[in-house]
Amino acid sequence: MPTFVLKNDQDEQPSHPPFIKDVNDRQKEAVLHTDGPLLIIAGAGSGKTRVLTYRIANLLYQKKAWPNQILALTFTNKAAREMKDRIVDLIGEQANRLWMGTFHSIFSRILRMEAEHMGYTRDFSIYDSVDSDRVIKSILQELGINTREVKPQSVRFVISGAKNQLISPDLFGDKFVQSSLDDIAAQVYHRYVERCKKNNAMDFDDLLIKPIALFEQHPDILQKYQDHFRYILIDEYQDTNHAQYRATRLLASAHENICVVGDDAQSIYSFRGADISNILNFREDYPEAVKIPLEQNYRSTKAILQCADSVIKNNKNRLEKTLWTKNDQGEVITVLENYDERDEANRIARSVEELKMRNNLSLNDFAVLYRTNYQSRVLEDAFRRRGISYQLVGGISFYQRKEIKDVIAYLRLLVNPNDDESLLRIINEPARGVGEKTISQLSSLARNQEYSIWSILQDVESTGIYKPAITRIREFVDIIHRTTEKLNELDLTDTVRFLLEETGYVRQFVEEHSHDSLMRRQNVMELLNAISYFEKSSNTPSLSAFLQEISLVTDLDAHDSNEPSVTLMTVHGSKGLEFPIVYIAGLEEDLFPIGGRVGEEVDIEEERRLFYVAITRAEKHLYFSYAKNRFRFGEQIEMRCSRFLDEVDPSVVRTETGATIRQTGSTSRHNRATYISYEQKQSRPAPATDRKQPSPPETTIEYDQVPDDGIWRPGMKVVHPKFGPGQILQCEGSGDQAKLTVFFKQAGRKKLMIKYAKLSLIDG
């Protein structure tokens, strides 16, 4: 392979690189642009990775910089490796000397070289979330705060959010405390920072924010790295957070040879702190920036692109571009209307079988995308029953998820108290003060006396175990006894509900209130749905029969990963991938777009971008699917199809019978969640940044008007004399038997009889 070196100014500059013939005109423009800020808006399937790698290769080919003077930042190590390998293929081994990697890996490298300026040594430790939780737990205990009531993970979540917005402990305590959790986090934040410093340790957030402090406190060091990095390239710029934005802007402020590549239409990670304004406002930060849109799509048919374009144009905050392709028009998108989620899963599985056989396709050609992980269960069940091989990407099998295995362990213990493995799994899950030493003593006693651990627990007072632990064990034993009695009094679904309430297993996820914890809660609720469906469909439902069915399903879960298989994954996990045939399942209100079930606000524009990402994964065939009914919390409720189906271009979408989908207008019938626009989110209190924030517009909530006859509706905001403010999620029944399901910010989900609830409506 050729190797190129920098030459003197007098040396003749080389012509365009030979590999430039492999790109289209717009791509060529981006590759050959060298000096000054550059914004590349890379639409889905437009060859973004090729442009990035060719541009870096061209900088080296044109002798603009040594390899180690080019900084390329990515979001995954895999992406960095793939890009570097491609550049090596283009210009030789010198590409291995590029500064290319994730933000965390690159910044930790800088911090190790400059550690003494920050009061650290070069060998500082990097704490992961488990390490951070351990430190936070010890601080909570020092403050006299019960860690069973205030979870270390919840405190870490608040502190992490503050760090990534560059909010210091002092500033957070002065201006950002809005709840009791915030107040506790403010107390912990100071001590946590001090403890990490004392331990010569940084957490993952520190790897992003410490370089900013380093550069701002030591201008000479900033200048050194500004001089060193002559060219900066950032991939997936729409996914950067405020700390990443600030650090890279400092580095680029001298030469402004910064190239960012991204697609505002694929910004889907706000829950991780990503700030779409970074890409939307790039030309405000760099007024001289050249903007190059990559609009030719090499992936999808014209029909699929037409559908995607018709959806994303409903977003007000976007950078203008229109994807086009030389590919065929392709088939229209098919909408599958289903009775419930099991019907949906079965029809998708049947469709896969038929298409595979009719067109002689491989199972690898198929992908099923969904909004949340818990939706995989019914899909997995349907594919297993039909013997269709599948693989779950970006997650584990539904029945292998920790929270599901925990609940199943509880259920097994009810049926078989001698199951020591199930007991050991959940005796301290959720945490109830039974430590590892106590568990070890119980196991030893059981082995020595040749009894089950459950038998030992029946007379735990005589074991000599630490007295506080005995109290907690008695509470655990009482819960199991009471639940066993309920098996004879209640139906199976209500018995499991009782168990979940008594153990506080679901409550822990609500209290943590992070994105991951709420997803775990949804997974447990989906297991409850499975139990309810089993109970309704079985002639002789019993807990032991259900567990036997689950054990058979789990035994069949493993398959050869080398065999062709259908891909099942969330839309978030599908970003960057492509498949010939894609099914998008669960296109219903409160599911896709998600929101309203737990009282949270949702940015509808991000949900729409997520739908856009799902559509643009498809190459040749695309299916939309929704269910008229869906099991929620063990009960079947009526669903409404997603507002996004109202937005797609009807000329490229048909039902299974070939009819045009009905256009009804979304705002007249979608009222369950509070949706906020990008402008509304930006108008909220936020730390000072380098740019002006948009002025807050008038807020319009798309709720139905309250009828004169006083009927309550989902989406209405209410207040209860005991539980405080909340939002109605579901209405059922009539007259004296009418009930409301309400999510209260302070008390969680409650089902109330309207007759006795004493609810008041909150205006607006």
Side-chain angles (χ1 to χ4, degrees):
M1 292 183 183
T3 299
F4 305 100
V5 297
L6 287 172
K7 297 184 178 181
N8 296 326
D9 292 340
Q10 293 81 9
D11 291 333
E12 181 181 352
Q13 294 298 309
S15 60
H16 293 334
F19 48 77
I20 202 67
K21 66 181 184 300
D22 299 331
V23 297
N24 65 36
D25 290 343
R26 277 294 173 88
Q27 291 175 333
K28 179 179 179 180
E29 186 180 351
V31 168
L32 296 181
H33 179 282
T34 55
D35 297 325
L38 174 64
L39 170 62
I40 302 175
I41 305 300
S46 62
K48 167 180 69 76
T49 302
R50 168 170 288 193
V51 169
L52 262 180
T53 54
Y54 277 38
R55 187 174 189 278
I56 294 172
N58 181 60
L59 289 172
L60 296 174
Y61 184 89
Q62 300 288 358
K63 322 302 188 289
K64 287 287 185 177
W66 298 104
N68 65 356
Q69 292 177 316
I70 297 175
L71 172 63
L73 295 165
T74 65
F75 273 81
T76 66
N77 289 310
K78 178 182 178 182
R81 287 193 299 269
E82 289 178 352
M83 286 175 60
K84 186 173 287 188
D85 288 344
R86 291 195 193 187
I87 299 170
V88 168
D89 289 340
L90 292 172
I91 57 97
E93 293 296 326
Q94 61 170 321
N96 287 318
R97 300 195 298 275
L98 291 164
W99 278 65
M100 178 177 284
T102 65
F103 280 88
H104 289 91
S105 65
I106 294 296
F107 287 169
S108 66
R109 182 176 172 185
I110 292 174
L111 287 170
R112 290 200 184 279
M113 292 190 293
E114 310 296 343
E116 66 277 7
H117 296 287
M118 306 291 294
Y120 291 81
T121 67
R122 291 175 59 93
D123 59 349
F124 61 81
S125 300
I126 298 177
Y127 281 172
D128 62 16
S129 59
V130 175
D131 299 320
S132 296
D133 288 345
R134 188 177 297 116
V135 174
I136 291 172
K137 182 178 181 179
S138 68
I139 295 172
L140 289 170
Q141 291 170 339
E142 291 170 8
L143 294 171
I145 297 171
N146 190 332
T147 56
R148 286 181 296 165
E149 296 178 357
V150 179
K151 303 296 184 184
Q153 301 98 312
S154 301
V155 177
R156 170 171 52 83
F157 186 76
V158 175
I159 292 175
S160 177
K163 281 188 171 186
N164 282 298
Q165 287 297 319
L166 305 182
I167 302 172
S168 67
D170 288 333
L171 182 60
F172 183 82
D174 289 343
K175 296 186 177 181
F176 290 89
V177 174
Q178 299 179 348
S179 67
S180 58
L181 178 60
D182 289 345
D183 184 54
I184 292 170
Q187 298 176 57
V188 173
Y189 194 176
H190 277 281
R191 297 194 182 200
Y192 176 73
V193 171
E194 294 171 354
R195 187 71 54 84
C196 289
K197 184 70 174 292
K198 178 177 176 292
N199 294 347
N200 192 39
M202 299 184 192
D203 63 21
F204 272 78
D205 295 321
D206 289 330
L207 298 181
L208 299 180
I209 67 173
K210 292 292 185 185
I212 300 172
L214 173 69
F215 296 150
E216 292 181 339
Q217 295 169 14
H218 301 276
D220 56 325
I221 296 177
L222 173 60
Q223 184 177 351
K224 178 175 73 172
Y225 286 99
Q226 288 175 335
D227 293 341
H228 183 83
F229 297 127
R230 296 177 61 174
Y231 293 91
I232 299 174
L233 300 94
I234 306 174
D235 191 16
E236 304 287 5
Y237 193 63
Q238 76 279 350
D239 294 332
T240 54
N241 62 26
H242 184 65
Q244 292 163 329
Y245 158 81
R246 179 65 184 154
T248 51
R249 190 168 187 206
L250 283 169
L251 286 172
S253 60
H255 300 293
E256 294 198 343
N257 289 331
I258 180 171
C259 167
V260 301
V261 183
D263 182 6
D264 58 297
Q266 298 186 67
S267 178
I268 58 174
Y269 293 113
S270 65
F271 67 90
R272 296 179 185 171
D275 186 352
I276 191 175
S277 68
N278 292 344
I279 192 168
L280 293 178
N281 297 333
F282 183 80
R283 297 182 82 182
E284 292 182 16
D285 296 331
Y286 302 95
E288 303 300 320
V290 173
K291 174 185 171 184
I292 301 176
L294 303 181
E295 297 174 309
Q296 182 176 356
N297 177 283
Y298 293 91
R299 175 187 301 160
S300 306
T301 64
K302 288 183 174 71
I304 291 171
L305 290 186
Q306 194 172 335
C307 177
D309 189 59
S310 65
V311 169
I312 202 61
K313 283 186 174 178
N314 286 277
N315 275 8
K316 295 180 180 178
N317 295 280
R318 53 188 293 266
L319 299 171
E320 282 297 327
K321 66 177 177 303
T322 301
L323 294 184
W324 62 277
T325 184
K326 292 181 179 179
N327 295 338
D328 295 337
Q329 176 65 26
E331 297 182 4
V332 296
I333 293 88
T334 302
V335 179
L336 306 177
E337 183 182 76
N338 310 283
Y339 176 74
D340 61 16
E341 65 265 45
R342 288 161 187 82
D343 182 34
E344 176 182 57
N346 288 330
R347 292 178 76 186
I348 289 175
R350 185 168 63 248
S351 174
V352 168
E353 281 185 326
E354 292 172 354
L355 285 173
K356 177 180 180 294
M357 295 189 63
R358 186 165 66 240
N359 300 307
N360 194 28
L361 299 171
S362 167
L363 289 178
N364 290 330
D365 293 333
F366 296 85
V368 184
L369 310 182
Y370 37 83
R371 178 63 179 83
T372 60
N373 274 309
Y374 75 82
Q375 291 173 257
S376 73
R377 183 188 65 80
V378 289
L379 290 164
E380 290 182 75
D381 289 347
F383 280 97
R384 287 193 196 97
R385 283 193 296 269
R386 288 184 171 271
I388 301 173
S389 181
Y390 69 89
Q391 58 177 323
L392 214 59
V393 178
I396 56 176
S397 173
F398 180 85
Y399 293 108
Q400 295 300 314
R401 295 183 175 111
K402 178 188 180 301
E403 58 271 18
I404 301 304
K405 292 180 73 68
D406 285 346
V407 177
I408 289 175
Y410 270 109
L411 301 182
R412 284 176 175 166
L413 191 62
L414 295 177
V415 174
N416 178 20
N418 293 325
D419 185 346
D420 283 353
E421 292 302 314
S422 290
L423 187 149
L424 289 174
R425 181 181 182 92
I426 45 85
I427 192 172
N428 197 44
E429 186 63 50
R432 52 174 60 91
V434 183
E436 292 183 3
K437 182 178 180 181
T438 298
I439 292 173
S440 177
Q441 288 177 297
L442 290 172
S443 298
S444 179
L445 284 169
R447 284 195 303 269
N448 293 337
Q449 299 181 23
E450 297 183 348
Y451 289 132
S452 69
I453 297 177
W454 179 251
S455 298
I456 299 293
L457 296 186
Q458 306 313 298
D459 189 23
V460 69
E461 289 83 356
S462 65
T463 60
I465 286 173
Y466 185 51
K467 288 187 178 180
I470 290 177
T471 302
R472 300 301 184 190
I473 289 172
R474 288 302 323 167
E475 293 173 355
F476 168 74
V477 171
D478 289 343
I479 289 172
I480 300 302
H481 279 311
R482 291 199 303 273
T483 307
T484 303
E485 293 172 359
K486 293 296 181 184
L487 279 172
N488 300 320
E489 301 173 8
L490 304 173
D491 60 31
L492 183 55
T493 305
D494 286 340
T495 299
V496 178
R497 281 201 188 99
F498 176 87
L499 174 68
L500 295 174
E501 178 65 27
E502 290 293 296
T503 59
Y505 191 81
V506 173
R507 188 165 59 248
Q508 65 179 328
F509 300 142
V510 176
E511 291 171 350
E512 181 178 333
H513 200 70
S514 68
H515 177 80
D516 289 341
S517 70
L518 293 178
M519 291 300 101
R520 292 197 293 272
R521 174 181 177 275
Q522 291 289 3
N523 289 337
V524 175
M525 292 301 100
E526 182 64 7
L527 177 63
L528 190 63
N529 291 341
I531 295 170
S532 179
Y533 181 79
F534 168 81
E535 190 171 30
K536 294 179 189 305
S537 60
S538 175
N539 293 327
T540 55
S542 68
L543 182 56
S544 60
F546 175 75
L547 291 172
Q548 181 177 349
E549 182 174 286
I550 292 299
S551 67
L552 292 174
V553 168
T554 304
D555 290 339
L556 295 173
D557 193 36
H559 70 276
D560 186 350
S561 61
N562 294 319
E563 289 294 320
S565 56
V566 178
T567 299
L568 306 182
M569 66 196 314
T570 65
V571 182
H572 278 104
S574 73
K575 189 155 174 272
L577 302 178
E578 56 189 43
F579 304 91
I581 304 171
V582 170
Y583 298 82
I584 306 176
L587 281 172
E588 301 134 36
E589 283 295 295
D590 297 347
L591 184 55
F592 201 171
I594 201 170
R597 294 192 306 279
V598 291
E600 77 272 27
E601 292 181 329
V602 177
D603 183 346
I604 189 63
E605 293 212 349
E606 175 147 333
E607 289 291 308
R608 189 175 285 111
R609 291 193 294 270
L610 193 60
F611 185 45
Y612 174 85
V613 167
I615 293 172
T616 54
R617 299 312 94 196
E619 297 175 351
K620 296 182 178 179
H621 303 282
L622 178 61
Y623 291 82
F624 295 153
S625 176
Y626 70 91
K628 294 181 179 180
N629 304 278
R630 192 171 289 271
F631 270 82
R632 290 279 182 85
F633 310 104
E635 299 178 359
Q636 189 178 69
I637 66 172
E638 185 177 350
M639 304 298 291
R640 294 169 297 176
C641 63
S642 171
R643 68 189 64 197
F644 296 150
L645 292 179
D646 291 342
E647 299 174 354
V648 299
D649 185 340
S651 69
V652 293
V653 182
R654 294 287 187 275
T655 66
E656 289 179 277
T657 62
T660 303
I661 63 172
R662 184 175 144 199
Q663 303 295 296
T664 60
S666 62
T667 58
S668 64
R669 62 191 182 89
H670 304 296
N671 61 353
R672 289 202 176 178
T674 303
Y675 290 102
I676 57 173
S677 69
Y678 167 74
E679 295 102 326
Q680 288 170 293
K681 184 159 55 170
Q682 290 296 308
S683 71
R684 295 175 173 176
T689 64
D690 300 334
R691 57 172 79 100
K692 295 180 180 179
Q693 297 296 326
S695 300
E698 293 184 5
T699 302
T700 301
I701 306 298
E702 294 179 349
Y703 293 143
D704 287 350
Q705 295 297 313
V706 182
D708 294 335
D709 58 6
I711 297 174
W712 302 95
R713 297 286 182 87
M716 289 180 176
K717 294 182 179 179
V718 296
V719 64
H720 186 277
K722 177 181 178 181
F723 303 133
Q727 186 175 28
I728 298 175
L729 304 182
Q730 184 178 346
C731 308
E732 56 186 293
S734 60
D736 289 346
Q737 300 303 312
K739 299 177 184 178
L740 296 178
T741 301
V742 184
F743 181 84
F744 295 99
K745 293 181 179 179
Q746 299 174 354
R749 181 184 294 269
K750 300 288 183 182
K751 181 173 284 190
L752 307 171
M753 294 284 290
I754 297 177
K755 182 178 179 180
Y756 306 109
K758 297 181 180 179
L759 291 174
S760 300
L761 183 65
I762 300 176
D763 293 335

